[in-house]
Amino acid sequence: MRKAFISPTKYVQGENELLNLGFYVKSFGESALVIGNPGDIERVQDKLDKTAEHFGITLHLADFGGEATREEVNRLKKLAKEKGTDIIVGLGGGKAIDTSKTVANGHNLIVCPTIAATDAPTSHSAVLYTKDHHFDEYAYFIQSPSVVLMDTTVIAQAPARFLISGMGDSLATYYEARATRRSNSNVNAGLPNGYHTGDTAPAKGTIASITLARACYETVMENGYNAKIACDNNVVTPALENIIEANTLLSGLGFESGGLAAAHAIYNGLTVLDGPHNYFHGEQVAFTTFVQLILEDAPNDEVEALLDFSLSVGLPVSLADLDVAEVKYEEILKVAEKACIPEESIHAMPFEVTPESVAQAIIAADVIGRDYKKRKSVK
């Protein structure tokens, strides 16, 4: 049996860690192209200036155009070549980081998230879009980023909604890795450079990946509420540090080397509805993780633990929480059909899945979530 595990070469997090960015740039050369949203660059400009001066490096700042397109990638590749930079630095949120990954193309790359909203920073993949914001393709690279650098002080200053969304994404990691392991399905870590949507590489998950996925779940459940309070007040506490690590490192390694299943496939299906577009990735995944538990008939205590946690931090537990006021079977079936296309991860579930069974699980989860929330609010 072929197994695969992939991770960044180095992961480091700490207060004011961006001040050490120059140290990591210096290990690759003398200059870097820093790609980020103008607002994110402005937020950390002082730290960038200080680390460049202290370590004697040059940081060329490049404003990200706002969408991770092929055109933007080519523009920034050309700029990096003109500047003669030794390494790419991706600064900010998901699309800026995905663009930076594609510019680096599996070579020297430092990722510096300014929020902890998803588990994508550690991965060896990126999502590209068209100029009119439609999905274009997935890109996979030969290796993960060279360094993932998390400045907890910067992340604590961001709105707590980003952190909470990251928890929603992290909640799926263990349940999807567990399903993938039970079905002996392949994982993304086996995909080499040049593979795109629809291609497969036969690699199964490792003991390490399911262990990390389980640790991710336990860390989020234990620390999530206190981390939310810390972020609400822009302070760094041990709970916040634990959640930053869970959202980014544990979930990132867990999903990529442990596998995806129903939760993320149903998230992709939700794109046919209008309401969920108003919500972050992790907020939607929190609900679709609940749907996965209903689909697989998980024990009631497991379901209620997920619902209790979601309500405690403000994550959605129903379609109503995602601005879907009226649930029509015909529309939900379209969601399920998109979630069940042949190349989707939902087929990693350890039993046969059909659009009809998924649609019914979505409707059941919606009703259960609404009722549970109502009963908890009465108490």
Side-chain angles (χ1 to χ4, degrees):
M1 182 187 297
R2 180 172 184 259
K3 297 183 179 183
F5 183 89
I6 192 168
S7 68
T9 305
K10 189 176 187 71
Y11 174 92
V12 58
Q13 74 171 52
E15 295 180 68
N16 297 311
E17 192 62 38
L18 266 175
L19 293 174
N20 291 321
L21 174 62
F23 170 80
Y24 298 107
V25 171
K26 194 82 171 180
S27 65
F28 293 96
E30 301 296 325
S31 67
L33 183 70
V34 180
I35 301 170
N37 290 309
D40 287 321
I41 291 176
E42 184 178 356
R43 281 177 62 199
V44 300
Q45 183 72 66
D46 182 58
K47 291 183 179 181
L48 295 178
D49 291 342
K50 286 180 178 178
T51 194
E53 180 180 359
H54 181 77
F55 290 98
I57 59 164
T58 301
L59 297 178
H60 301 282
L61 306 182
D63 288 345
F64 171 55
E67 189 56 273
T69 63
R70 297 169 186 262
E71 292 80 7
E72 181 70 353
V73 168
N74 290 334
R75 179 184 74 84
L76 292 166
K77 279 185 176 180
K78 182 179 179 181
L79 182 59
K81 186 175 181 179
E82 290 174 354
K83 299 293 185 180
T85 55
D86 303 300
I87 189 168
I88 302 298
V89 175
L91 177 76
K95 290 191 174 183
I97 289 174
D98 275 1
T99 300
S100 303
K101 288 181 182 179
T102 314
V103 172
N105 195 30
H107 300 293
N108 299 347
L109 172 67
I110 299 174
V111 169
C112 304
T114 53
I115 54 177
T118 74
D119 51 16
T122 63
S123 78
H124 77 313
S125 61
V127 185
L128 296 179
Y129 297 85
T130 63
K131 287 186 288 187
D132 52 356
H133 311 295
H134 294 298
F135 171 80
D136 184 1
E137 69 171 346
Y138 293 109
Y140 293 91
F141 311 106
I142 195 65
Q143 63 184 13
S144 300
S146 309
V147 180
V148 175
L149 188 156
M150 308 292 291
D151 188 320
T152 56
T153 309
V154 172
I155 293 168
Q157 297 299 315
R161 184 182 174 189
F162 289 114
L163 187 81
I164 295 167
S165 176
M167 291 188 233
D169 200 20
S170 296
L171 285 172
T173 303
Y174 171 61
Y175 294 123
E176 292 191 291
R178 181 178 70 179
T180 300
R181 192 168 184 82
R182 286 174 175 173
S183 65
N184 200 33
S185 296
N186 295 330
V187 299
N188 285 349
L191 292 168
N193 190 34
Y195 276 68
H196 301 290
T197 306
D199 292 316
T200 59
K204 313 300 180 182
T206 60
I207 295 171
S209 60
I210 190 66
T211 303
L212 289 167
R214 186 181 296 109
C216 177
Y217 171 80
E218 293 169 352
T219 301
V220 171
M221 295 294 282
E222 183 173 343
N223 296 272
Y225 178 77
N226 288 341
K228 171 189 178 297
I229 298 302
C231 200
D232 279 337
N233 293 278
N234 307 124
V235 294
V236 178
T237 65
L240 179 64
E241 292 174 333
N242 290 343
I243 288 299
I244 291 171
E245 181 178 345
N247 285 4
T248 311
L249 182 64
L250 298 180
S251 187
L253 303 187
F255 99 79
E256 195 164 40
S257 294
L260 299 176
H264 275 81
I266 298 169
Y267 159 78
N268 290 335
L270 287 179
T271 58
V272 307
L273 302 177
D274 291 331
H277 291 289
N278 300 321
Y279 294 85
F280 295 150
H281 171 83
E283 292 172 328
Q284 297 181 57
V285 170
F287 173 67
T288 60
T289 299
F290 172 35
V291 175
Q292 177 175 317
L293 293 187
I294 299 302
L295 182 66
E296 64 186 1
D297 195 25
N300 283 339
D301 58 348
E302 197 168 78
V303 173
E304 290 185 0
L306 178 67
L307 290 174
D308 285 338
F309 176 81
S310 295
L311 291 174
S312 75
V313 297
L315 284 167
V317 298
S318 70
L319 287 171
D321 290 343
L322 295 173
D323 291 348
V324 181
E326 186 177 2
V327 179
K328 297 180 179 179
Y329 181 78
E330 295 76 14
E331 292 182 355
I332 300 303
L333 184 59
K334 291 178 182 177
V335 172
E337 287 171 344
K338 185 174 177 63
C340 291
I341 60 175
E343 60 267 29
E344 263 297 358
S345 59
I346 200 165
H347 302 293
M349 297 299 291
F351 48 81
E352 183 181 0
V353 176
T354 66
E356 291 76 18
S357 65
V358 173
Q360 291 173 68
I362 294 172
I363 292 172
D366 175 58
V367 174
I368 294 169
R370 291 178 195 233
D371 180 67
Y372 197 84
K373 185 176 184 178
K374 183 178 180 180
R375 287 191 283 118
K376 286 292 183 177
S377 64
V378 170
K379 291 181 181 180

